[in-house]
Amino acid sequence: MTDFDQSLWAESRFAQDYRDQAEHIIQKRQELFRILRSFHRFFARRSSPIHVCDLGCGDGALAQQLLEEDPSLKATLIDGSEEMLAAARNRLAPYPNVSFDRKSFAEIIADSTGRSGFDFVVSAFAIHHLLLPDKRALFQTIFQQLRPGGFFLNIDTVFPDHSLFTDWCYAVWQEWVDERNRRLGLKGAFKDIAAKARQNPDNQLSALADQLQALRSAGFQNVECHYKNGLFAIFGGGKAS
């Protein structure tokens, strides 16, 4: 597993650039958020306040979507970057029931009993930094920390199940970025984002089918991909009541 401190996310400038550019480089980001909120309303929300964990929380944008839906929920945000956690604290300052924990995925996996009792675990664009064996280990840890009846939902980039389509998926992403740039008059910004992401050694995408199987092997039920558009997917599973 890559040491977090050796990754680009440990660099202040890189983390800031991602926060500034996320809306332009994440394909249909608002649609991904819409599906997250809908899933929460249909499956995760209960009559009593629920405890949500956001793994690799970044600047707190994902948790904010859920807190706007349900201000009563308790949220625990975990990230390996102190700068990202500082941004999340600032973003979520109006919400009283939010706690923060600086911890890398390696530390979470090593201390699988460190936290428990979550009703809903979410993650966005973080787990793809792990190799498949480490994804499997993290999924097992998440399953252990979920309460019965809880759910895990991952918004992330994935490889297609058949490598024939990999180049095309990257092209679809770049075409979306280019079209958005033209529409907004951004003058060719991010014109190489797909190629740069593909070359970035921090990105360790795995095939969707392999990750769904890893969830099943960890004990998750009702494992499903709820959305897929090129490299971008939403998938997860639940823990039996």
Short mmCIF file of all heavy atoms in Angstrom, two decimals, residues 102-135:
data_model
loop_
_atom_site.label_atom_id
_atom_site.label_comp_id
_atom_site.label_asym_id
_atom_site.label_seq_id
_atom_site.Cartn_x
_atom_site.Cartn_y
_atom_site.Cartn_z
N ARG A 102 -7.91 12.42 11.54
CA ARG A 102 -6.87 12.28 10.52
C ARG A 102 -6.33 10.85 10.58
O ARG A 102 -5.70 10.43 11.55
CB ARG A 102 -5.73 13.27 10.74
CG ARG A 102 -4.67 13.17 9.65
CD ARG A 102 -3.54 14.14 9.83
NE ARG A 102 -2.57 14.00 8.74
CZ ARG A 102 -1.44 14.70 8.64
NH1 ARG A 102 -1.14 15.61 9.56
NH2 ARG A 102 -0.63 14.51 7.63
N LYS A 103 -6.60 10.11 9.52
CA LYS A 103 -6.16 8.72 9.46
C LYS A 103 -6.12 8.28 8.01
O LYS A 103 -7.01 8.58 7.22
CB LYS A 103 -7.13 7.84 10.27
CG LYS A 103 -6.68 6.41 10.47
CD LYS A 103 -7.62 5.68 11.43
CE LYS A 103 -7.46 6.18 12.86
NZ LYS A 103 -8.26 5.37 13.81
N SER A 104 -5.06 7.59 7.64
CA SER A 104 -4.93 7.07 6.28
C SER A 104 -5.71 5.76 6.16
O SER A 104 -6.09 5.13 7.17
CB SER A 104 -3.47 6.83 5.94
OG SER A 104 -2.96 5.75 6.71
N PHE A 105 -5.93 5.31 4.93
CA PHE A 105 -6.58 4.02 4.73
C PHE A 105 -5.77 2.90 5.35
O PHE A 105 -6.33 1.95 5.90
CB PHE A 105 -6.81 3.76 3.24
CG PHE A 105 -7.96 4.52 2.65
CD1 PHE A 105 -7.86 5.11 1.41
CD2 PHE A 105 -9.16 4.64 3.34
CE1 PHE A 105 -8.93 5.80 0.86
CE2 PHE A 105 -10.23 5.33 2.81
CZ PHE A 105 -10.12 5.92 1.56
N ALA A 106 -4.46 2.99 5.26
CA ALA A 106 -3.60 1.95 5.85
C ALA A 106 -3.84 1.85 7.36
O ALA A 106 -3.92 0.75 7.92
CB ALA A 106 -2.13 2.25 5.56
N GLU A 107 -3.99 2.99 8.00
CA GLU A 107 -4.24 3.00 9.45
C GLU A 107 -5.64 2.48 9.76
O GLU A 107 -5.84 1.78 10.76
CB GLU A 107 -4.06 4.41 9.99
CG GLU A 107 -2.61 4.90 9.95
CD GLU A 107 -2.49 6.38 10.27
OE1 GLU A 107 -3.31 7.18 9.77
OE2 GLU A 107 -1.55 6.73 11.01
N ILE A 108 -6.61 2.81 8.92
CA ILE A 108 -7.97 2.31 9.13
C ILE A 108 -8.00 0.79 9.05
O ILE A 108 -8.60 0.11 9.88
CB ILE A 108 -8.93 2.92 8.09
CG1 ILE A 108 -9.06 4.42 8.32
CG2 ILE A 108 -10.29 2.24 8.14
CD1 ILE A 108 -9.77 5.14 7.20
N ILE A 109 -7.33 0.25 8.03
CA ILE A 109 -7.30 -1.21 7.85
C ILE A 109 -6.56 -1.89 9.00
O ILE A 109 -6.99 -2.94 9.51
CB ILE A 109 -6.65 -1.56 6.50
CG1 ILE A 109 -7.54 -1.06 5.35
CG2 ILE A 109 -6.40 -3.06 6.38
CD1 ILE A 109 -6.87 -1.11 3.99
N ALA A 110 -5.46 -1.29 9.44
CA ALA A 110 -4.66 -1.88 10.51
C ALA A 110 -5.40 -1.89 11.84
O ALA A 110 -5.18 -2.75 12.69
CB ALA A 110 -3.34 -1.13 10.64
N ASP A 111 -6.29 -0.91 12.04
CA ASP A 111 -7.03 -0.80 13.29
C ASP A 111 -8.52 -0.91 12.98
O ASP A 111 -9.29 0.02 13.18
CB ASP A 111 -6.72 0.54 13.97
CG ASP A 111 -7.40 0.68 15.33
OD1 ASP A 111 -7.75 -0.36 15.92
OD2 ASP A 111 -7.58 1.82 15.78
N SER A 112 -8.92 -2.07 12.51
CA SER A 112 -10.29 -2.26 12.03
C SER A 112 -11.33 -2.14 13.14
O SER A 112 -12.51 -1.93 12.87
CB SER A 112 -10.44 -3.61 11.34
OG SER A 112 -10.15 -4.66 12.25
N THR A 113 -10.92 -2.27 14.39
CA THR A 113 -11.87 -2.16 15.50
C THR A 113 -11.87 -0.76 16.09
O THR A 113 -12.50 -0.52 17.11
CB THR A 113 -11.51 -3.17 16.61
OG1 THR A 113 -10.17 -2.89 17.08
CG2 THR A 113 -11.57 -4.58 16.08
N GLY A 114 -11.16 0.17 15.45
CA GLY A 114 -11.03 1.51 16.01
C GLY A 114 -12.34 2.28 16.08
O GLY A 114 -12.56 3.08 16.97
N ARG A 115 -13.23 2.06 15.13
CA ARG A 115 -14.53 2.73 15.14
C ARG A 115 -15.59 1.71 14.72
O ARG A 115 -15.32 0.80 13.97
CB ARG A 115 -14.56 3.91 14.17
CG ARG A 115 -13.74 5.11 14.63
CD ARG A 115 -13.91 6.28 13.70
NE ARG A 115 -13.15 7.44 14.13
CZ ARG A 115 -13.59 8.34 14.99
NH1 ARG A 115 -14.79 8.21 15.52
NH2 ARG A 115 -12.85 9.38 15.32
N SER A 116 -16.79 1.90 15.20
CA SER A 116 -17.88 1.01 14.81
C SER A 116 -19.20 1.73 15.04
O SER A 116 -19.23 2.85 15.54
CB SER A 116 -17.83 -0.29 15.63
OG SER A 116 -17.97 0.01 17.01
N GLY A 117 -20.27 1.08 14.67
CA GLY A 117 -21.58 1.64 14.92
C GLY A 117 -22.05 2.63 13.89
O GLY A 117 -22.88 3.49 14.18
N PHE A 118 -21.55 2.53 12.66
CA PHE A 118 -22.00 3.43 11.60
C PHE A 118 -23.25 2.85 10.93
O PHE A 118 -23.33 1.66 10.65
CB PHE A 118 -20.91 3.63 10.55
CG PHE A 118 -19.67 4.30 11.09
CD1 PHE A 118 -18.44 3.66 11.04
CD2 PHE A 118 -19.74 5.57 11.65
CE1 PHE A 118 -17.30 4.28 11.53
CE2 PHE A 118 -18.59 6.20 12.15
CZ PHE A 118 -17.38 5.55 12.08
N ASP A 119 -24.20 3.73 10.62
CA ASP A 119 -25.39 3.34 9.88
C ASP A 119 -25.18 3.46 8.37
O ASP A 119 -25.82 2.75 7.59
CB ASP A 119 -26.57 4.22 10.27
CG ASP A 119 -26.88 4.13 11.75
OD1 ASP A 119 -27.35 3.06 12.19
OD2 ASP A 119 -26.65 5.12 12.47
N PHE A 120 -24.30 4.35 7.97
CA PHE A 120 -24.10 4.63 6.55
C PHE A 120 -22.65 5.06 6.37
O PHE A 120 -22.21 6.04 6.98
CB PHE A 120 -25.05 5.74 6.10
CG PHE A 120 -25.16 5.97 4.62
CD1 PHE A 120 -24.86 4.98 3.70
CD2 PHE A 120 -25.61 7.19 4.14
CE1 PHE A 120 -24.99 5.19 2.34
CE2 PHE A 120 -25.75 7.42 2.77
CZ PHE A 120 -25.44 6.42 1.88
N VAL A 121 -21.90 4.31 5.59
CA VAL A 121 -20.52 4.68 5.26
C VAL A 121 -20.48 5.09 3.80
O VAL A 121 -20.99 4.37 2.92
CB VAL A 121 -19.54 3.51 5.51
CG1 VAL A 121 -18.13 3.88 5.07
CG2 VAL A 121 -19.56 3.12 6.98
N VAL A 122 -19.90 6.25 3.54
CA VAL A 122 -19.81 6.77 2.18
C VAL A 122 -18.36 7.13 1.87
O VAL A 122 -17.55 7.37 2.77
CB VAL A 122 -20.71 8.01 1.98
CG1 VAL A 122 -22.17 7.64 2.16
CG2 VAL A 122 -20.31 9.13 2.93
N SER A 123 -18.05 7.15 0.59
CA SER A 123 -16.72 7.58 0.16
C SER A 123 -16.85 8.09 -1.27
O SER A 123 -17.69 7.61 -2.04
CB SER A 123 -15.72 6.43 0.23
OG SER A 123 -14.41 6.89 -0.08
N ALA A 124 -16.02 9.07 -1.61
CA ALA A 124 -16.04 9.61 -2.97
C ALA A 124 -14.63 9.88 -3.45
O ALA A 124 -13.88 10.63 -2.81
CB ALA A 124 -16.89 10.89 -3.04
N PHE A 125 -14.25 9.25 -4.52
CA PHE A 125 -12.99 9.49 -5.22
C PHE A 125 -11.78 9.40 -4.30
O PHE A 125 -10.89 10.25 -4.33
CB PHE A 125 -13.05 10.85 -5.94
CG PHE A 125 -14.19 10.92 -6.91
CD1 PHE A 125 -15.30 11.73 -6.65
CD2 PHE A 125 -14.19 10.14 -8.05
CE1 PHE A 125 -16.36 11.76 -7.52
CE2 PHE A 125 -15.26 10.17 -8.93
CZ PHE A 125 -16.35 10.98 -8.67
N ALA A 126 -11.77 8.37 -3.49
CA ALA A 126 -10.66 8.14 -2.57
C ALA A 126 -10.16 6.70 -2.63
O ALA A 126 -8.95 6.46 -2.66
CB ALA A 126 -11.10 8.48 -1.13
N ILE A 127 -11.07 5.74 -2.68
CA ILE A 127 -10.68 4.33 -2.58
C ILE A 127 -9.93 3.87 -3.82
O ILE A 127 -9.16 2.91 -3.77
CB ILE A 127 -11.93 3.47 -2.28
CG1 ILE A 127 -12.49 3.84 -0.90
CG2 ILE A 127 -11.60 1.98 -2.33
CD1 ILE A 127 -13.77 3.13 -0.54
N HIS A 128 -10.09 4.57 -4.95
CA HIS A 128 -9.38 4.16 -6.16
C HIS A 128 -7.87 4.34 -6.04
O HIS A 128 -7.12 3.91 -6.91
CB HIS A 128 -9.90 4.91 -7.39
CG HIS A 128 -9.52 6.36 -7.44
ND1 HIS A 128 -10.32 7.36 -6.95
CD2 HIS A 128 -8.42 6.97 -7.93
CE1 HIS A 128 -9.73 8.52 -7.13
NE2 HIS A 128 -8.57 8.32 -7.73
N HIS A 129 -7.41 4.96 -4.97
CA HIS A 129 -5.97 5.09 -4.75
C HIS A 129 -5.36 3.81 -4.19
O HIS A 129 -4.13 3.69 -4.10
CB HIS A 129 -5.68 6.25 -3.79
CG HIS A 129 -6.09 7.59 -4.33
ND1 HIS A 129 -5.58 8.10 -5.50
CD2 HIS A 129 -6.98 8.50 -3.87
CE1 HIS A 129 -6.13 9.29 -5.73
NE2 HIS A 129 -6.98 9.55 -4.76
N LEU A 130 -6.21 2.84 -3.82
CA LEU A 130 -5.73 1.58 -3.26
C LEU A 130 -5.64 0.51 -4.33
O LEU A 130 -6.48 0.43 -5.23
CB LEU A 130 -6.69 1.11 -2.16
CG LEU A 130 -6.91 2.02 -0.96
CD1 LEU A 130 -7.93 1.38 -0.02
CD2 LEU A 130 -5.61 2.31 -0.25
N LEU A 131 -4.65 -0.35 -4.19
CA LEU A 131 -4.59 -1.56 -5.02
C LEU A 131 -5.73 -2.48 -4.63
O LEU A 131 -6.28 -2.39 -3.52
CB LEU A 131 -3.25 -2.25 -4.83
CG LEU A 131 -2.01 -1.49 -5.31
CD1 LEU A 131 -0.74 -2.18 -4.82
CD2 LEU A 131 -2.00 -1.36 -6.82
N LEU A 132 -6.09 -3.41 -5.52
CA LEU A 132 -7.25 -4.26 -5.27
C LEU A 132 -7.16 -5.04 -3.95
O LEU A 132 -8.17 -5.10 -3.22
CB LEU A 132 -7.47 -5.21 -6.45
CG LEU A 132 -8.71 -6.08 -6.37
CD1 LEU A 132 -9.98 -5.25 -6.24
CD2 LEU A 132 -8.80 -6.99 -7.60
N PRO A 133 -6.02 -5.64 -3.60
CA PRO A 133 -5.98 -6.33 -2.30
C PRO A 133 -6.27 -5.41 -1.12
O PRO A 133 -6.90 -5.82 -0.14
CB PRO A 133 -4.55 -6.88 -2.24
CG PRO A 133 -4.14 -7.00 -3.67
CD PRO A 133 -4.78 -5.84 -4.36
N ASP A 134 -5.83 -4.16 -1.22
CA ASP A 134 -6.10 -3.20 -0.15
C ASP A 134 -7.56 -2.74 -0.18
O ASP A 134 -8.15 -2.48 0.87
CB ASP A 134 -5.16 -2.01 -0.26
CG ASP A 134 -3.71 -2.40 -0.10
OD1 ASP A 134 -3.42 -3.23 0.78
OD2 ASP A 134 -2.86 -1.89 -0.87
N LYS A 135 -8.14 -2.65 -1.35
CA LYS A 135 -9.58 -2.38 -1.43
C LYS A 135 -10.35 -3.48 -0.73
O LYS A 135 -11.29 -3.21 0.03
CB LYS A 135 -10.03 -2.29 -2.90
CG LYS A 135 -9.54 -1.06 -3.66
CD LYS A 135 -10.13 -1.07 -5.07
CE LYS A 135 -9.75 0.17 -5.89
NZ LYS A 135 -8.42 0.10 -6.47
#
